[in-house]
Amino acid sequence: MTTIFWLCRDFRLSDNPALAAAAKDGPIAPVFVIDSALMDQGAASRWRLQRGLAAFDTALREKTGHGVTILRGEASDVLPKLARQIGAGAIHASDWPCAPMRKAQDALRKALGDVTLCLHAGHLLIHPRMIRTKTGGSYKVYTPFARAVREAGPDKPVNRPRDIAIAADLPKGEDLAKLNLAPDMRSGAAVLDRHALPAGEDAAATRLERFLDHAKGYGEGRDRLDMDVTSGLAEALALGEISPRTVWARSMARIQDDRTSADDARKFLSEVLWREFAWHLLVEFPQMDSRNWREDWMEFPWRPRGAGLEAWQQARTGIPAVDAGLREMRVTGRMHNRVRMIVASYLTKHLMIDWRAGLRHFADSLTDWDPASNAMNWQWVAGSGPDASPFFRIFNPVTQAEKFDPKGAYRRRWLLGYDGSTADTARDYFDAIPKGWEVPDAYKSGDAQRKLAERRVAALDAYGQMREKLQSL
């Protein structure tokens, strides 16, 4: 039977249950759909997705002699039409369980008629319905959730299909070589390209093995801004160029064979579990990117956005660690995880600006954008989310920089003029920003650092007033 392999994420041949099931049924039509949900994504993530699509297309051509058919329109319009054209009896796809994809899946089912839509769990370690509390609910706290996943054991990766037959008489589709999914990147695309990590399944597998070869010190060094000790797999996981199940299986095999630092590799896997936690929460609460998880946070007195948000977005707050992180993101599409917390804490607590404004800026700027992780982590820092950091935990960006960037190497890398920096990476920021941004060429801290204590007190007062108001209701 001819089937359609609807490529949504999971740009890989290995451990791709949707591809394996489709190939087993007979000839497949590998299709990628450019729909409105995709084009609503942030520019940087669309730019990176196109690189992943191109790498997958190359790998598929090498194996089958045929690439991906790229169609533009809503899945509910183009896929039923294609199914009728080629006589397909089923559509296989990886389930990417976020609200826009759920909407697209529901509309597609209604339009398919007798054609079956088969969704496969390929994006997570284990299906959310398999991890439940004793009362049958979902976990809201990370530690018992992680324990439950470890006890249940993640699903095992599926083998790469030995043979993949491509269906005949497929439509031509759009030319990948001429495609531009992120025209709104403008000059920023060239800057991202200069700093891009290699895309594709093979590159992700190599990066994982290289990380496990040198994992010693990850547990202690992962928070250091001036050291390159992390895996660098966030983009690949976000696009499914490597599956979390493969990451888990390869890491555990290396631990068991004593071919990596066991404690550090386990700490790395706890970060994979944190990503998993975010996705399980998003399945339970699809509005996590737009609504406070904790309803009482509806009463928090966020300040108007205005100049404070604009300065934060343009990385000219006068707080070196904050501005360095935001400039790193503009130049590379990535940001060190410790700096993400510093940057988010400064926005939501020192500036008291709604976390959703920060979430949207990250969503537009990150090449490793992940809807679940982005939403949960912003709510975690703000204090409004499940298992959130207490609001009174307010990162001091100055002392954080002193602790995790003790010699200022990270700040000099991204801030032109900071401590005499002339780094090319710092200069690249000015090639990446829109023309309307007025950012001084030479970095100056200004008086923002002197106001940190005052702003901390104001934030705690606002939180206290919210609690008092709620208690009086």
Side-chain angles (χ1 to χ4, degrees), residues 127-378:
H127 198 285
R129 67 170 172 262
M130 303 301 295
I131 303 298
R132 315 303 288 179
T133 65
K134 292 180 180 179
T135 59
S138 60
Y139 285 93
K140 307 298 191 298
V141 179
Y142 168 74
T143 299
F145 168 84
R147 187 185 306 118
V149 175
R150 289 181 185 274
E151 290 174 355
D155 295 335
K156 290 180 171 56
V158 302
N159 294 328
R160 177 183 297 212
R162 180 176 300 177
D163 298 306
I164 302 176
I166 302 299
D169 301 323
L170 295 179
K172 185 177 180 180
E174 299 206 12
D175 186 347
L176 180 58
K178 297 178 180 178
L179 188 65
N180 183 3
L181 290 180
D184 42 342
M185 281 296 303
R186 301 182 180 86
S187 61
V191 178
L192 283 182
D193 193 61
R194 289 204 293 270
H195 295 271
L197 300 174
E201 180 177 3
D202 290 344
T206 298
R207 182 168 289 277
L208 173 62
E209 297 301 330
R210 187 178 298 137
F211 167 74
L212 293 172
D213 285 342
H214 305 286
K216 183 71 174 176
Y218 168 80
E220 293 184 358
R222 67 191 182 90
D223 284 328
R224 286 288 295 269
L225 314 186
D226 55 346
M227 296 170 60
D228 184 16
V229 300
T230 60
S231 71
L233 285 170
E235 287 181 354
L237 282 166
L239 289 168
E241 293 170 342
I242 192 169
S243 74
R245 302 187 301 199
T246 295
V247 171
W248 191 278
R250 290 297 305 141
S251 300
M252 291 303 297
R254 295 281 290 265
I255 291 171
Q256 291 163 6
D257 294 344
D258 198 25
R259 291 187 295 118
T260 190
S261 171
D263 289 344
D264 292 288
R266 287 192 178 95
K267 182 60 180 176
F268 166 63
L269 290 179
S270 72
E271 298 301 315
V272 177
L273 284 169
W274 183 256
R275 171 191 181 272
E276 186 83 2
F277 183 47
W279 274 99
H280 284 233
L281 291 173
L282 186 66
V283 169
E284 293 293 326
F285 185 57
Q287 305 86 14
M288 190 163 65
D289 65 345
S290 59
R291 282 179 52 192
N292 294 309
W293 180 283
R294 299 173 186 270
E295 290 295 333
D296 54 358
W297 274 81
M298 294 291 291
E299 300 296 331
F300 190 79
W302 300 112
R303 288 177 175 168
R305 296 174 184 182
L309 176 61
E310 185 177 272
W312 181 87
Q313 291 171 328
Q314 297 180 10
R316 51 177 178 81
T317 66
I319 306 295
V322 172
D323 294 335
L326 290 164
R327 293 189 188 195
E328 178 190 17
M329 180 171 66
R330 176 64 61 170
V331 169
T332 68
R334 306 179 297 276
M335 189 193 297
H336 191 285
N337 189 60
R338 169 60 58 169
V339 187
R340 294 188 196 207
M341 291 189 285
I342 295 170
V343 162
S345 179
Y346 182 76
L347 181 74
T348 57
K349 295 176 179 177
H350 286 101
L351 297 182
M352 287 177 55
I353 291 175
D354 195 321
W355 59 269
R356 283 160 284 216
L359 176 145
R360 284 190 285 272
H361 185 64
F362 270 34
D364 190 53
S365 306
L366 287 171
T367 52
D368 63 11
W369 171 76
D370 177 292
S373 294
N374 196 33
M376 185 184 73
N377 288 334
W378 270 100

